[in-house]
């Protein structure tokens, strides 16, 4: 029977696997090219160290150690005199050797993916001498692969994109699976790819893993995302092979394959006529199923009667067409507008032009709604002029406004007083005639800007505003005057004809041809011998001296009246006085001092020195006054003489005094010192007979004792009073004494007929007591006789 190439290869693989399992796959190998081995005491011999190349199958699952191979030396006669030793990678831990037979076994499960081969060293020793009988030699144990690893997609899961409407076979993405098995041995690492999910839209190449489109005209607008499952299987996809899977998310990217289309063929919007300019009237949008740049479009008005009134622009975010007003709407002028609007894609793909034009048209009708509008003035700004000499009530001009609505309501006028606070003007409410209400002054305000209000009679809330600029025309109503306050000086040594001042004038008026002033001296000053005036014919004049030898001690100030006339019609004039001071000047004519008092002061004495002298004089005067005052105080006695104390005498009889608080009639020193006893003194204006009328009991007790006893009694009462406050307080008492020297003067006793008291002595007291003597006396000059 003849075998094909594939069958022959399979036969060789099965044979090799059988030899490995039976231990018959060792190939003897003689190291004939190795260096000769010299043994002491012996002659050079041919090397006879024999071993095999070893293979061991990975993932052995048996319970007994796995036989790997056998080491053998020709020196070994089988009598047990030779001992084998194994060293290197995995010796004793993974691989063990029978020191008598040289058999090698693996004690653990091996994984080729962890380590593909192990390098070990073997040595044969004489058991008795423990000396090598063969040189140490190195050999390799190779781990033979089995298919124990499935393919893995290390970069998965995948995401990819492909343009919609792509042709069949368009590459989307390539997936790659790796197999950890040995790619050089068998088919364990040979992977093939297949698609488990995603058909019939996509396909995958079995060997390369490239995913491609499998259907034409895939539409993103119908479905924009697909989930694919890709499988990778080793053993070239044969039965028994291992497999792994991954997912691939494929997104269809947009292309401009959809033209814009308006949802409606016509639109209608109502807008009020009062809508301000630049306001948005409407928003329209053409539908486009595409996204991003493919959906960007532009709008334009291609036809209609509103081309100059409206405009359309695009909103970059929403791709809407925004219709705005360019001019004010007027319902009375036009009630509706019609617009033809086109929407077109900005980025067109030539591949899809066959689908139709990438633009669309629609009609937009705009209805203007009537709004009650405020009155409108015939002019936005009225300019008027009036003379400042105009009388109150003079007509300046007229404003006019009308109601723009169809009703044409009557209009009433008024002035916005916020623009005419001084109320210079009035306006007729019906006719709009503006008149003056006050006298005007151009120099105060040359232009008045006022606002006129126009209100509908039927709806006063509708107010229109007009603006009026009133210019005040000038008249010559201000006399000229000095341009400034001049400080003019003349030197004592001035010569005749010397210029001492140049003057000019100002006028608040504003003549059309400019100012022209004329200067001259008044009639009283025209013939003075000191100064003269020269008109320079250029609105200035020059003041000159007419003599020399000015002296301050004779006259320090001159007053020169100057007459100024303007060129107005009629002309106005004024007299302005120029003050000229006489000064002492240096050699250059610069004034040094202009005070006339300077001559009184000593020559060469400065102002600072004079101030110092005056300060010294004042200081000396103050010292003298202090010394005199101190001496007077030393001469005055500290205790007043009681005979000279005027407080003991009665000066006036008609003085009612100040009550108990009046201390003018008391000796305060005696009240403060109650131990001082006052001497009883007779009054100078009382006759000696009066002394016999007084009671001796009162004379025997001094006044200070009475006051002292009274005060001590009241003090004791306050000390023992439980209701008194617990702090020091002011105690005030009204104490008049125990009696009077004159006893009672009551008229109740004096008019009694039985009274034996004689008051005739009152006549001897003088004129001051004449009234009492007439009342109580018994003489013939009695008051009632």
């Amino acid at each position: 029977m003849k075998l094909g190439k594939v069958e022959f290869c399979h036969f060789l693989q099965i044979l090799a696997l059988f030899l490995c399992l039976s231990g018959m796959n060792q190939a003897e190998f003689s190291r004939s090219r190795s260096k000769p081995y010299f043994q002491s005491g012996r002659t050079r011999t041919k090397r006879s160290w024999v071993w095999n190349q070893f293979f061991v199958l990975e993932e052995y699952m048996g319970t007994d150690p796995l036989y790997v191979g056998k080491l053998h030396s020709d020196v070994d006669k089988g009598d047990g005199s030779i001992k084998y030793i194994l060293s290197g990678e995995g010796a004793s831990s993974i691989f063990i050797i029978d020191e008598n037979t040289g058999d090698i076994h693996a004690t653990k499960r091996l994984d080729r993916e962890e380590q593909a081969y192990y390098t070990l060293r073997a040595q044969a020793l004489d058991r008795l001498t423990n000396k090598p009988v063969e040189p140490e030699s190195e050999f390799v144990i190779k781990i033979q692969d089995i298919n124990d690893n499935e393919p893995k997609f290390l970069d998965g899961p995948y995401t990819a994109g492909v343009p919609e409407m792509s042709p069949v076979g368009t590459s989307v993405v390539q997936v790659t699976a790796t197999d950890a098995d040995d790619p050089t041995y068998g088919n364990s690492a040979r992977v093939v790819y297949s698609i488990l999910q995603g058909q019939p839209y996509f396909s995958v190449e079995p060997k390369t893993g490239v995913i491609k489109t499998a259907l034409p005209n895939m539409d993103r607008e119908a479905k924009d995302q697909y989930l694919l499952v890709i499988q990778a299987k080793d053993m070239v996809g044969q039965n028994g092979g291992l497999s792994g899977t991954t997912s691939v998310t494929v997104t269809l990217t947009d292309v401009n394959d959809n033209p814009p289309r308006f949802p409606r063929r016509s639109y209608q919007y109502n807008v009020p006529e009062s809508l301000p300019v630049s306001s948005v009237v409407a928003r329209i949008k053409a539908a486009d199923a595409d996204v991003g740049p493919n959906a960007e479009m532009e709008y334009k008005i291609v036809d209609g009667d509103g081309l100059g009134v409206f405009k359309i622009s695009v909103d970059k975010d929403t791709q809407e067409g925004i219709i705005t007003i360019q001019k004010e709407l007027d319902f009375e002028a036009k009630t509706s507008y019609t617009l033809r609007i086109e929407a077109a894609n900005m980025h067109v793909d030539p591949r899809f032009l066959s689908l139709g034009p990438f633009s669309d048209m629609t009609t937009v009708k705009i209805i203007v709604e009537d709004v009650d509008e405020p009155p409108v003035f015939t002019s936005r700004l009225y300019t008027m002029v009036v003379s400042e000499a105009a009388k109150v009530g003079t007509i300046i001009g007229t404003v006019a406004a009308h109601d723009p609505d169809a009703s044409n309501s009557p209009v009433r006028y008024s002035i916005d007083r916020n623009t005419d606070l001084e109320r210079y003007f009035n306006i007729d409410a019906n006719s709009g005639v503006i008149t003056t209400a006050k006298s005007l002054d151009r120099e105060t305000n040359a232009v008045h800007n006022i606002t006129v209000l126009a209100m509908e009679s039927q709806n006063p809330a509708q107010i229109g505003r007009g603006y009026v600029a009133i210019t005040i025309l000038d008249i010559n109503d201000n006399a000229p005057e000095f341009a400034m306050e001049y400080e003019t000086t003349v030197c004592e040594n001035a010569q005749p004809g010397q210029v001492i001042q140049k003057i000019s004038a100002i006028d608040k008026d504003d003549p059309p041809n400019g100012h022209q002033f004329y200067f001259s001296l008044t009639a009283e000053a025209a013939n003075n011998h000191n100064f003269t005036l020269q008109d320079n014919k250029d609105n200035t004049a020059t003041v000159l001296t007419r003599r020399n030898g000015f002296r301050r001690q004779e006259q320090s100030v001159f007053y020169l009246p100057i007459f100024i006339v303007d060129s107005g019609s009629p002309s106005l004039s004024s007299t302005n006085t120029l003050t000229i001071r006489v000064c002492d000047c240096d050699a250059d004519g610069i004034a040094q001092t202009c005070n006339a008092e300077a001559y009184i002061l000593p020559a060469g004495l400065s102002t600072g020195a004079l101030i110092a002298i005056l300060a010294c004089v004042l200081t000396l005067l103050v010292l003298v006054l202090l010394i005199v005052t101190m001496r007077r105080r030393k001469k005055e006695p500290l205790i007043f003489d009681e005979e000279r104390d005027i407080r003991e005498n009665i000066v006036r009889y008609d003085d009612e005094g100040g009550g108990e608080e009046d201390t003018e009639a008391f000796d305060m020193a005696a009240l403060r010192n109650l131990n001082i006893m006052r001497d009883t003194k007779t009054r100078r204006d009382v006759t000696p007979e009066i002394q016999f009328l007084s009671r001796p009991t009162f004379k025997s007790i001094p006044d200070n004792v009475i006051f002292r006893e009274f005060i001590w009694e009241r003090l004791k009462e306050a000390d023992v009073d439980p209701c008194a406050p617990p702090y020091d307080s002011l105690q005030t008492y009204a104490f008049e004494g125990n009696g009077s020297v004159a006893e009672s003067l009551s008229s109740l006793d004096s008019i009694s007929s039985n009274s034996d008291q004689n008051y005739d002595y009152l006549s001897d007291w003088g004129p001051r007591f004449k009234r009492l003597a007439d009342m109580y006396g018994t003489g013939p000059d009695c008051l009632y006789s």
Side-chain angles (χ1 to χ4, degrees), residues 381-546:
L381 177 64
Y382 296 87
T383 56
M384 302 178 184
V385 294
V386 63
S387 173
E388 65 176 327
K391 297 181 179 179
V392 175
T394 300
I395 296 176
I396 303 173
T398 304
V399 297
H402 68 281
D403 183 7
D405 299 320
S407 59
N408 194 15
S409 175
V411 175
R412 294 182 61 83
Y413 303 93
S414 64
I415 294 177
D416 185 355
R417 292 304 177 182
N418 291 325
T419 60
D420 184 26
L421 297 176
E422 300 295 331
R423 296 181 176 268
Y424 284 109
F425 308 99
N426 287 330
I427 188 171
D428 187 275
N430 297 317
S431 64
V433 175
I434 299 176
T435 58
T436 58
K438 283 185 178 181
S439 298
L440 303 175
D441 186 7
R442 188 203 64 84
E443 288 71 35
T444 302
N445 193 353
V447 179
H448 294 265
N449 294 302
I450 64 174
T451 300
V452 177
L453 306 178
M455 295 173 288
E456 292 184 12
S457 300
Q458 297 179 358
N459 186 7
Q462 295 296 333
I463 302 175
R465 285 174 169 79
Y467 304 97
V468 182
I470 302 175
T471 303
I472 310 301
L473 299 179
D474 184 42
I475 64 171
N476 191 25
D477 59 342
N478 289 277
E481 58 186 11
F482 278 158
M484 59 181 294
E485 186 176 348
Y486 295 100
E487 296 182 359
T488 306
T489 61
V490 60
C491 296
E492 291 182 311
N493 56 358
Q495 300 297 321
Q498 182 175 341
V499 176
I500 62 173
Q501 184 68 59
K502 185 176 182 180
I503 62 175
S504 61
I506 58 173
D507 194 330
K508 294 181 181 179
D509 295 321
D510 188 18
N513 299 325
H515 290 288
Q516 181 61 47
F517 301 115
Y518 303 97
F519 301 87
S520 64
L521 295 177
T522 61
E524 296 80 2
N527 298 322
N528 78 89
H529 302 287
N530 300 313
F531 305 98
T532 185
L533 182 70
Q534 177 182 338
D535 193 342
N536 297 328
K537 308 300 182 182
D538 59 353
N539 290 339
T540 63
T542 304
V543 180
L544 303 94
T545 58
R546 299 187 69 175

Side-chain angles (χ1 to χ4, degrees), residues 179-191:
D179 196 320
D181 293 326
D182 189 0
T184 62
Y185 178 75
N187 297 323
S188 299
R190 295 180 62 183
V191 177

Side-chain angles (χ1 to χ4, degrees), residues 71 85-89 91 119-123 136-139:
L71 294 180
I85 297 176
L86 188 66
S87 62
E89 292 180 326
T119 303
L120 293 96
R121 293 182 299 278
Q123 194 173 28
E136 186 179 53
S137 183
E138 188 176 76
F139 65 96

Side-chain angles (χ1 to χ4, degrees), residues 59-81:
E59 302 294 344
Y60 172 69
M61 302 299 291
T63 57
D64 298 331
L66 178 64
Y67 178 76
V68 178
K70 184 180 182 63
L71 294 180
H72 181 71
S73 175
D74 293 342
V75 181
D76 187 3
K77 302 301 182 180
D79 55 1
S81 61

